[in-house]
Amino acid sequence: MLPRAVGLVVLVLMASVGVVVWATSPAKEKTNYEPDIVYRSVGETDLLLDLALPTSDGPSPAVVCLHPGGWVGGSRKLMTNTLAVLAKRGYVAIAPDYRLAPKHRYPACLEDCKAAIAWLRTNAEKYKIDPKRIGVIGLSAGGHLALMSALEGAEVQAVCAFSAPCDLSDAKLATPETVKLNLKPLLGGEPELFSKAYKKASPLHAAVKGMPPVLLMVGSEDKNVPPSQSEEFARKVNRAGGAARVVVLQGEGHTWKRENLMRSIGEMLMFLDDHLRQP
């Protein structure tokens, strides 16, 4: 199964890794944090996001941070440390909640993620955001939604996905346990009966022409999401004229720590800087 709290190890340590990263990069000592902002209302449900602002005058690039949880759990609060790291780097950063399965089936979660990206643009003047420099990152299920947001029309300039499922129809991903606990609640049925829905929700089966630059990071020993999925997706993007790169962390599983954690966060920040920091 895709663990509901996957990425906790990454996120808990993400703030401390800044000690290493900031040694060779610009940083701010203070940030402004605004929690619990309503960014979308669906029926009687208000969807919230948390926002962190840098101390610079702007306009600043922005990053949307999508939480893990196997599409059935998790919360924007898992991304609090990530917001702090990005704001200290000079980014406006938001972490939205999105509707979860099984109460809300796909594409409800994707619609919410795209709405959060659109909210950034709508509020660009208020928060001193450069609307032409927006990226999206995500962990596990959040990585899947980051990729799908870009593929389904959200206008972003960079995507970074950690341990992202790229092919929901892959038998190596769709194990009986994962189907029962994650995919069936998300998509409404078994892969054999809902094959079109599984493929429609898969980045690997989407048209990738025009995909913005992509960085995918995977553990070589990930037993939840086959790392080959990210490699295959990157090949498809590159064949279509895009720019996708995969970083494989040897010996790591679905999450990682210590040296590989530091490397992955450094890779992410350098990637975002390369594609978002220049107007």
Side-chain angles (χ1 to χ4, degrees):
M1 66 173 289
L2 297 179
R4 292 191 179 198
V6 69
L8 277 175
V9 173
V10 173
L11 293 166
V12 167
L13 294 177
M14 193 174 273
S16 63
V17 78
V19 174
V20 176
V21 175
W22 306 148
T24 57
S25 59
K28 308 292 187 297
E29 291 184 0
K30 297 180 180 180
T31 61
N32 298 313
Y33 181 68
E34 297 184 20
D36 308 327
I37 299 170
V38 176
Y39 76 92
R40 188 184 195 202
S41 295
V42 183
E44 296 182 355
T45 301
D46 288 338
L47 295 170
L48 305 180
L49 62 78
D50 296 340
L51 175 144
L53 295 167
T55 56
S56 58
D57 293 332
S60 302
V63 180
V64 180
C65 306
L66 303 178
H67 70 77
W71 306 283
V72 298
S75 160
R76 70 188 187 280
K77 298 302 181 182
L78 292 173
M79 308 303 289
T80 300
N81 287 341
T82 312
L83 297 184
V85 167
L86 290 167
K88 288 179 180 178
R89 188 79 164 193
Y91 293 95
V92 175
I94 66 168
D97 273 335
Y98 49 83
R99 286 171 290 169
L100 300 173
K103 183 177 181 180
H104 303 286
R105 291 195 171 128
Y106 189 86
C109 52
L110 176 61
E111 292 169 354
D112 297 339
C113 294
K114 291 169 64 177
I117 296 168
W119 180 91
L120 271 179
R121 287 201 163 78
T122 300
N123 290 277
E125 183 175 356
K126 177 179 181 180
Y127 293 109
K128 299 180 181 179
I129 296 166
D130 183 343
K132 295 182 179 180
R133 292 188 288 156
I134 295 178
V136 57
I137 69 171
L139 309 180
S140 192
H144 162 265
L145 292 172
L147 295 171
M148 289 304 300
S149 294
L151 290 164
E152 292 288 336
E155 187 182 345
V156 295
Q157 284 67 55
V159 181
C160 181
F162 296 76
S163 304
C166 295
D167 185 1
L168 306 191
S169 65
D170 182 359
K172 292 181 179 178
L173 172 75
T175 64
E177 185 179 18
T178 297
V179 168
K180 178 182 177 181
L181 297 177
N182 302 98
L183 296 175
K184 188 175 179 180
L186 178 70
L187 297 167
E190 307 285 343
E192 297 80 7
L193 299 177
F194 287 76
S195 59
K196 289 184 179 179
Y198 276 66
K199 289 185 177 180
K200 188 174 182 180
S202 297
L204 188 59
H205 295 283
V208 299
K209 188 174 179 60
M211 184 75 178
V214 185
L215 175 65
L216 303 114
M217 283 182 274
V218 297
S220 65
E221 307 306 315
D222 191 338
K223 304 302 182 186
N224 299 103
V225 179
S228 59
Q229 289 197 359
S230 290
E231 294 171 329
E232 191 172 353
F233 179 74
R235 284 193 293 270
K236 182 174 181 178
V237 171
N238 290 330
R239 285 197 300 267
R245 184 167 68 94
V246 181
V247 174
V248 180
L249 301 171
Q250 295 299 323
E252 298 289 359
H254 200 58
T255 61
W256 43 87
K257 53 187 178 180
R258 300 186 182 91
E259 292 85 358
N260 278 328
L261 170 66
M262 294 184 201
R263 179 188 173 191
S264 67
I265 303 307
E267 291 273 6
M268 179 192 75
L269 292 172
M270 288 188 290
F271 170 78
L272 293 174
D273 285 353
D274 285 345
H275 297 287
L276 300 180
R277 290 196 71 87
Q278 297 302 317

